[in-house]
Amino acid sequence: MALDSFTIETNGGGTLVATFNRPDKMNAMDRAFFHDLIDLMEHCDADPSIDTCILTGSGKAFSAGGDFKTFQELTTISAIRRHLRLVYDAFHSVERAEVTVIAAVNGIAFGGGCELTIASDFAIASTAARFAFKEATVGLMPGYGVIRGPEIIGKRWTRRLAMTGETIDASTAAEIDLVQDVVAPEDLLESAEQLAARIRQNAPWGVRLAKQFINRNQGAPGIAESIEATALLFLTDDHRERVAAFFEGREG
């Protein structure tokens, strides 16, 4: 399987490791990434030899979030809505996948990187990992994060991250249940593989159906409203000025 956004490896034991491969861009998420993530989940579900997908990043980042270049290209409300629907569809593809999805967070997980951590079934963080919703710093909100965050980390921590834009370390992420384990960087992938192996010891259909029932109500309440609210934020002068300031290397 060839995907531009990932390098793919299989271990022959049922696990596929997909590594985000834009280290020079801190693995920022462009439109191709979201399409590829959907295709990746479909591929994993269609291949009977795969029962687990481990998502990780290359370089210093898991993912720094949305690609600002993509933001600049979103100039109309219809284009913004299409992009946001694609983003939600990509994260939902992780939730809906029959295979188990483990986020092995190797470094920075900001914005969409933090949201993808939430979407995954399990998350293991390197001690080097850092997490944040940075959308507020550029006049936006984490549209998926504000829907899913309260279910995973609670309302108070979702508010704190979404409204302050502050960064938390891996140990704090574990305390609020954003991740389940924190390990040394050199042990990250092995720990994810060990978790996959423990799950694999159980009856496969019991595992898959458990995931489907746990996630059965995800994807409906609040999504349409979040898309509309986030789309309007993309059109504000505040957002456009802060993105322009980013590219010009000045304070927004």
Side-chain angles (χ1 to χ4, degrees):
M1 181 186 191
L3 295 171
D4 291 340
S5 303
F6 301 93
T7 57
I8 305 296
E9 296 179 56
T10 55
N11 66 358
T15 297
L16 179 148
V17 179
T19 304
F20 313 151
N21 64 0
R22 299 183 77 200
D24 57 323
K25 301 292 186 182
M26 303 294 281
N27 298 319
M29 298 173 169
D30 57 8
R31 278 191 286 269
F33 171 87
F34 294 112
H35 283 293
D36 283 351
L37 182 59
I38 293 170
D39 290 344
L40 175 65
M41 292 298 106
E42 291 178 351
H43 170 77
C44 289
D45 280 350
D47 188 335
S49 70
I50 298 171
D51 56 40
T52 306
C53 177
I54 296 174
L55 300 174
T56 194
S58 55
K60 297 180 179 180
F62 180 67
S63 174
D67 189 330
F68 275 23
K69 184 177 180 181
T70 298
F71 291 175
Q72 284 193 314
E73 295 168 355
L74 300 175
T75 58
T76 66
I77 190 69
S78 59
I80 294 167
R81 286 187 184 122
R82 286 195 300 273
H83 178 71
L84 292 173
R85 290 189 190 106
L86 173 63
V87 172
Y88 280 100
D89 285 346
F91 292 144
H92 288 162
S93 74
V94 174
E95 295 174 340
R96 292 192 301 262
E98 293 184 6
V99 298
T100 300
V101 181
I102 301 173
V105 185
N106 56 297
I108 289 171
F110 290 169
C114 191
E115 291 175 306
L116 184 55
T117 304
I118 287 175
S120 299
D121 300 312
F122 302 96
I124 300 174
S126 156
T127 53
R130 297 294 182 268
F131 301 85
F133 288 143
K134 291 294 186 182
E135 287 84 351
T137 66
V138 290
L140 299 174
M141 73 173 184
Y144 174 90
V146 298
I147 298 296
R148 291 289 177 264
E151 303 170 16
I152 305 298
I153 62 175
K155 290 184 178 180
R156 291 187 183 276
W157 269 103
T158 302
R159 288 192 197 104
R160 179 164 171 173
L161 294 178
M163 296 168 68
T164 67
E166 72 179 74
T167 301
I168 61 173
D169 61 17
S171 62
T172 302
E175 289 172 8
I176 66 175
D177 206 29
L178 179 57
V179 304
Q180 287 74 58
D181 295 295
V182 179
V183 299
E186 62 269 22
D187 296 330
L188 181 62
L189 285 179
E190 182 181 354
S191 296
E193 293 269 14
Q194 289 174 349
L195 175 58
R198 289 202 299 273
I199 296 169
R200 191 172 295 123
Q201 292 174 357
N202 300 309
W205 282 110
V207 170
R208 291 190 177 207
L209 285 176
K211 172 176 177 173
Q212 298 308 310
F213 269 87
I214 292 167
N215 290 353
R216 67 188 182 278
N217 293 324
Q218 295 182 357
I223 296 299
E225 294 88 343
S226 180
I227 287 175
E228 287 303 307
T230 308
L232 292 174
L233 288 172
F234 267 95
L235 295 176
T236 62
D237 291 339
D238 187 34
H239 167 64
R240 296 194 181 283
E241 164 58 22
R242 287 171 184 256
V243 171
F246 171 83
F247 280 106
E248 295 168 13
R250 58 181 172 81
E251 293 291 330

